[in-house]
Amino acid sequence: MSDVVDPCGGCYYSVLGISKQATDCEIRGAYRKMALKWHPDRWTREPKLATEAKRRFQQIQEAYSVLSNKGKRTIYDAGLFGFIGDDDDEEGFVDFMQELILMTQTESPQGIVRNTHWRILRD
């Protein structure tokens, strides 16, 4: 699991109930399952839970929007997602950060990718 926390207080991977190694298909499936479970329209008859359902549904949507986008997911996994804003130039920044992260990764002789530069900066 990622130790990066979303603004709502939980890890995006745990919000969807998936591992950090989840495939695109697994992410999409988990999103659909959780979105159906917590969709606010399903909780209208229980006002006490309607607010909680709305909050969870928003978390699920945010987690999916990040994890289903390759660029955003790379930045999220690197622990830099907090730097992304909601402005019009978001995609350009995501592309830039993704390229920067890929440039800093090194591959060991065993084929394990290590992100040594960001680990040093985060510690």
Side-chain angles (χ1 to χ4, degrees), residues 12-81:
Y12 285 148
Y13 291 101
S14 65
V15 167
L16 295 180
I18 56 175
S19 73
K20 190 172 179 179
Q21 293 77 27
T23 64
D24 291 341
C25 187
E26 291 170 330
I27 292 170
R28 189 174 25 260
Y31 166 72
R32 288 179 179 163
K33 178 181 174 183
M34 297 301 286
L36 282 173
K37 179 179 179 180
W38 291 105
H39 195 282
D41 290 347
R42 293 183 65 147
W43 298 91
T44 55
R45 294 184 182 172
E46 297 183 44
K48 292 179 181 179
L49 296 176
T51 304
E52 175 68 13
K54 182 179 178 181
R55 185 185 68 77
R56 286 200 184 189
F57 187 71
Q58 289 172 339
Q59 284 180 325
I60 292 162
Q61 288 183 309
E62 175 70 16
Y64 181 71
S65 74
V66 171
L67 299 180
S68 64
N69 179 302
K70 184 179 179 183
K72 288 181 182 181
R73 185 176 180 183
T74 301
I75 292 170
Y76 178 76
D77 289 342
L80 301 172
F81 192 72

Side-chain angles (χ1 to χ4, degrees), residues 73-98:
R73 185 176 180 183
T74 301
I75 292 170
Y76 178 76
D77 289 342
L80 301 172
F81 192 72
F83 295 112
I84 297 178
D86 292 330
D87 61 2
D88 294 335
D89 195 33
E90 178 180 313
E91 285 303 315
F93 183 73
V94 168
D95 292 342
F96 168 76
M97 291 303 293
Q98 183 180 10

